[in-house]
Amino acid sequence: MIDRRTFGFGTAALGLSLAAPAVVRAQAGYPNRPVRMLVGFAAGGPTDIVARQLAQYMAESMGQTVVIENRGGANGNIAAQEIAQSQPDGYNLFYNTSAIAISPALYPRLGYDAKAFVPIGLTATVPMVLEVHPQMPVNNVKEFMDYVKANADKLSYASTGNGSITHLGSALLLGRIGAKVTHVPYRGSAPALVDLAGGRVHFMTDTINSSLPFIQDGRLKPLAVTSTRRLAALPNIPTLTELGLQDLEIGAWQGIVAPAGTPPEVVQKVNGAMMTALKNPEFLSRLETQQTTPLGSTPEEYGKYILAELARWDKVVKENGITMN
């Protein structure tokens, strides 16, 4: 199910060493009790919704309940740190987002690093869309880039928070343009989109599931999507890749990791349940209605992907001088 254009990375896997000896021996008949999967965001949010649906279908394969627990705060870092310090017995999983590859560059004293986890699999991604206020005098990406370059000191862009994927996604694009624009962070998509639609900020790179209602009723104008392929919901909107802006594929991706030392046979069993869920027509239909693209991967492929994303966002953070102060 992997799009090979996205996952063509090297051979190391997170420095996690999937082949390293497990510090905990796998229990016979795993799982023989409910499995806990932490989500680093509040209940009812888009990440939580996908995680709960996935957990339901994984439970059918595993023969045990997969219980979702929410540990919101610090862009998912509270949940990540808890899992990093949890028993690596297969009963503690983390439904992570792209924040796992962004936070190390933003928080020098994070309290954990990539070696604290073993990858299980990439589950899905939510594509993003570059959108502007309808009165902004641009109708395509070239016009947008020219306008931003000429008016950078007069413009501002919104994000769902400092250091979020929506912030860094725009920063990555602005780096390609060679322009510095005022960043206005918000506490989530809803207030950011309201202010963008109201003309209080000028543009944003946001997830399609949040932005689509604003685009459909004309309150926002989409210029491009950040996925490798055009979206069914916006078939006439080009991708940045097809416009010649290579290496700007961006998505709010999600996956599953476990504490380092989780037995390899457990990792494979959880991955198998995840992959079975991602092939379930009913689940795929539910993802489609949420504008979420299913992916799927092996643990090794996911490890390579996280490594590449760590390097990518570390560079963006450093080049733009982004801090959490």
Side-chain angles (χ1 to χ4, degrees), residues 12 16 22 109 145 157 160 189 225 234 243 246 249 262 272 292:
L16 302 165
R109 298 177 181 85
M145 294 176 73
Y157 69 96
T160 59
S189 287
V225 295
L234 298 172
L243 295 174
Q246 304 299 323
E249 187 272 327
T262 299
T292 300

Side-chain angles (χ1 to χ4, degrees), residues 172 176 226 240-241 244-250 312-313:
L172 185 63
R176 181 63 62 90
T226 65
L240 289 174
T241 300
L245 294 169
Q246 304 299 323
D247 303 321
L248 286 182
E249 187 272 327
I250 309 164
R312 179 191 207 186
W313 297 119

Side-chain angles (χ1 to χ4, degrees), residues 17-31:
S17 66
L18 287 169
V23 299
V24 174
R25 186 176 298 277
Q27 296 182 24
Y30 171 87

Side-chain angles (χ1 to χ4, degrees), residues 57-82:
Y57 291 98
M58 286 177 62
E60 293 177 5
S61 294
M62 298 175 75
Q64 285 287 345
T65 303
V66 179
V67 179
I68 296 295
E69 294 185 12
N70 299 90
R71 295 284 190 280
N75 201 26
N77 290 328
I78 291 175
Q81 187 161 9
E82 180 174 338

Side-chain angles (χ1 to χ4, degrees), residues 290-324:
Q290 297 159 35
Q291 305 303 320
T292 300
T293 303
L295 292 173
S297 76
T298 66
E300 292 81 6
E301 288 168 326
Y302 190 34
K304 297 169 194 175
Y305 184 62
I306 295 176
L307 268 183
E309 288 288 276
L310 281 164
R312 179 191 207 186
W313 297 119
D314 182 72
K315 181 179 179 182
V316 172
V317 167
K318 289 177 178 175
E319 287 181 347
N320 290 274
I322 297 170
T323 68
M324 296 306 293

Side-chain angles (χ1 to χ4, degrees), residues 15-274:
L16 302 165
S17 66
L18 287 169
V23 299
V24 174
R25 186 176 298 277
Q27 296 182 24
Y30 171 87
N32 52 31
R33 56 187 169 88
V35 175
R36 178 179 73 139
M37 187 155 67
L38 258 62
V39 174
F41 300 92
T47 302
D48 176 74
I49 290 172
V50 175
R52 288 179 184 276
Q53 293 174 349
L54 179 64
Q56 173 188 335
Y57 291 98
M58 286 177 62
E60 293 177 5
S61 294
M62 298 175 75
Q64 285 287 345
T65 303
V66 179
V67 179
I68 296 295
E69 294 185 12
N70 299 90
R71 295 284 190 280
N75 201 26
N77 290 328
I78 291 175
Q81 187 161 9
E82 180 174 338
I83 287 297
Q85 298 170 351
S86 295
Q87 186 78 355
D89 56 6
Y91 293 93
N92 297 291
L93 307 176
F94 179 36
Y95 193 79
N96 67 276
T97 66
S98 47
I100 200 173
I102 294 173
S103 291
L106 294 171
Y107 300 91
R109 298 177 181 85
L110 192 58
Y112 66 88
D113 60 22
K115 293 181 181 179
F117 305 107
V118 59
I120 290 177
L122 186 64
T123 57
T125 187
V126 181
M128 302 177 74
V129 56
L130 171 63
E131 56 201 356
V132 301
H133 185 271
Q135 293 184 3
M136 192 171 177
V138 298
N139 293 301
N140 56 57
V141 172
K142 184 182 184 307
E143 290 178 359
F144 170 81
M145 294 176 73
D146 291 343
Y147 186 81
V148 168
K149 197 163 190 176
N151 299 277
D153 60 336
K154 304 171 188 175
L155 302 176
S156 61
Y157 69 96
S159 80
T160 59
N162 197 27
S164 67
I165 188 69
T166 60
H167 175 198
L168 298 190
S170 290
L172 185 63
L173 176 59
L174 288 169
R176 181 63 62 90
I177 296 171
K180 297 287 186 182
V181 176
T182 299
H183 169 227
V184 183
Y186 290 82
R187 293 181 179 273
S189 287
L193 291 168
V194 167
D195 271 12
L196 178 57
R200 287 175 281 278
V201 288
H202 299 90
F203 66 93
M204 183 177 181
T205 306
D206 190 34
T207 53
I208 184 62
N209 54 2
S210 299
S211 293
L212 191 58
F214 288 80
I215 293 170
Q216 289 174 328
D217 65 14
R219 284 180 289 170
L220 294 178
K221 178 165 56 176
L223 299 181
V225 295
T226 65
S227 52
T228 56
R229 298 186 179 94
R230 293 195 183 197
L231 304 182
L234 298 172
N236 297 320
I237 304 302
T239 69
L240 289 174
T241 300
E242 70 183 86
L243 295 174
L245 294 169
Q246 304 299 323
D247 303 321
L248 286 182
E249 187 272 327
I250 309 164
W253 49 269
Q254 306 165 10
I256 303 174
V257 297
T262 299
E265 59 268 34
V266 169
V267 169
Q268 293 298 331
K269 185 157 190 176
V270 177
N271 176 269
M274 179 199 82

